[in-house]
Amino acid sequence: MKRKMLKILTYLLSISALCCIVFLLFVSYQAQKDPTKIPSFFGYKPLTVLTNSMEPKISAGDMIFVKETNADEVKKNEVITFHTADQKVVTHRVVQVTQEGFLTKGDNNNVEDSWKVQPDKLIGEVAVILPNAGFVAKFISSKMGFSLFVLLPFLLFILIEVFERTNRYFNRKEDTVSTKV
């Protein structure tokens, strides 16, 4: 029973590690293909928050997943992500919807933003917030983080697989020797 549970746990961990590796490689590939475009995974774009302008709801270091949204679906009080005129990516709350675009404001800011967000500059609406996950994502994107979180699990997976196969091979050999005697 214990052995079966260990085997199931090993398979689950292997599948989880493999899924993480595939996700990271997919996002990295998309980022390399077009560095000016934010990578998207099933319509969701992962971003790391750099400032505290949206505290207490969203803090610096949080990771947000932005769902691609049409501009005509955006309503007052929704948190959106958009490009500014100088191509910075900003996440703020909509305080007013107008014909020309959206007026926005950071929850932690005293005044509304000085610009109007044009509908074509909209990236999407914040769907998921993962507290402090941005720090992890930033570390994983470094060479050391990539080595620890992608290469090391991959090597461990291969070592476990080799160990299990050699173990099975030697167990079969012992079984055939013992049945001949």
Side-chain angles (χ1 to χ4, degrees), residues 82-160:
F82 54 91
H83 288 283
T84 61
D86 57 349
Q87 294 304 312
K88 289 183 182 173
V89 176
V90 177
T91 300
H92 279 175
R93 187 176 305 280
V94 175
V95 292
Q96 185 181 357
V97 179
T98 67
Q99 294 285 63
E100 301 84 38
F102 313 105
L103 291 171
T104 57
K105 176 184 174 292
D107 290 353
N108 200 26
N109 296 347
N110 294 327
V111 295
E112 292 177 359
D113 297 330
S114 59
W115 57 79
K116 227 178 231 179
V117 180
Q118 304 300 315
D120 63 323
K121 298 293 185 183
L122 178 69
I123 296 171
E125 181 182 343
V126 175
V128 178
I129 303 165
L130 298 176
N132 298 316
F135 294 126
V136 176
K138 187 172 180 154
F139 177 70
I140 289 174
S141 66
S142 71
K143 287 180 182 180
M144 175 65 94
F146 184 80
S147 298
L148 286 174
F149 284 94
V150 177
L151 295 178
L152 188 64
F154 183 70
L155 290 173
L156 284 173
F157 174 74
I158 290 172
L159 286 174
I160 289 170

Side-chain angles (χ1 to χ4, degrees), residues 14-180:
S14 299
I15 289 170
S16 298
L18 191 62
C19 288
C20 287
I21 290 169
V22 168
F23 173 74
L24 288 170
L25 289 175
F26 178 75
V27 170
S28 297
Y29 168 75
Q30 278 191 333
Q32 292 294 327
K33 191 170 70 174
D34 187 1
T36 61
K37 192 174 180 188
I38 300 169
S40 178
F41 197 70
F42 295 114
Y44 289 87
K45 299 176 184 246
L47 298 167
T48 300
V49 178
L50 301 177
T51 69
N52 287 320
S53 67
M54 285 299 294
E55 272 197 329
K57 183 174 176 131
I58 305 171
S59 301
D62 290 354
M63 178 177 267
I64 57 174
F65 286 86
V66 177
K67 182 168 178 30
E68 296 170 350
T69 309
N70 291 329
D72 52 338
E73 296 174 11
V74 175
K75 296 173 181 55
K76 184 178 178 180
N77 288 326
E78 289 183 351
V79 179
I80 62 169
T81 301
F82 54 91
H83 288 283
T84 61
D86 57 349
Q87 294 304 312
K88 289 183 182 173
V89 176
V90 177
T91 300
H92 279 175
R93 187 176 305 280
V94 175
V95 292
Q96 185 181 357
V97 179
T98 67
Q99 294 285 63
E100 301 84 38
F102 313 105
L103 291 171
T104 57
K105 176 184 174 292
D107 290 353
N108 200 26
N109 296 347
N110 294 327
V111 295
E112 292 177 359
D113 297 330
S114 59
W115 57 79
K116 227 178 231 179
V117 180
Q118 304 300 315
D120 63 323
K121 298 293 185 183
L122 178 69
I123 296 171
E125 181 182 343
V126 175
V128 178
I129 303 165
L130 298 176
N132 298 316
F135 294 126
V136 176
K138 187 172 180 154
F139 177 70
I140 289 174
S141 66
S142 71
K143 287 180 182 180
M144 175 65 94
F146 184 80
S147 298
L148 286 174
F149 284 94
V150 177
L151 295 178
L152 188 64
F154 183 70
L155 290 173
L156 284 173
F157 174 74
I158 290 172
L159 286 174
I160 289 170
E161 200 59 37
V162 167
F163 176 75
E164 286 179 352
R165 286 179 187 224
T166 54
N167 207 8
R168 273 188 253 140
Y169 175 76
F170 286 119
N171 283 340
R172 276 194 221 139
K173 251 188 170 182
E174 286 176 9
D175 288 345
T176 55
V177 169
S178 63
T179 55
K180 285 183 180 179

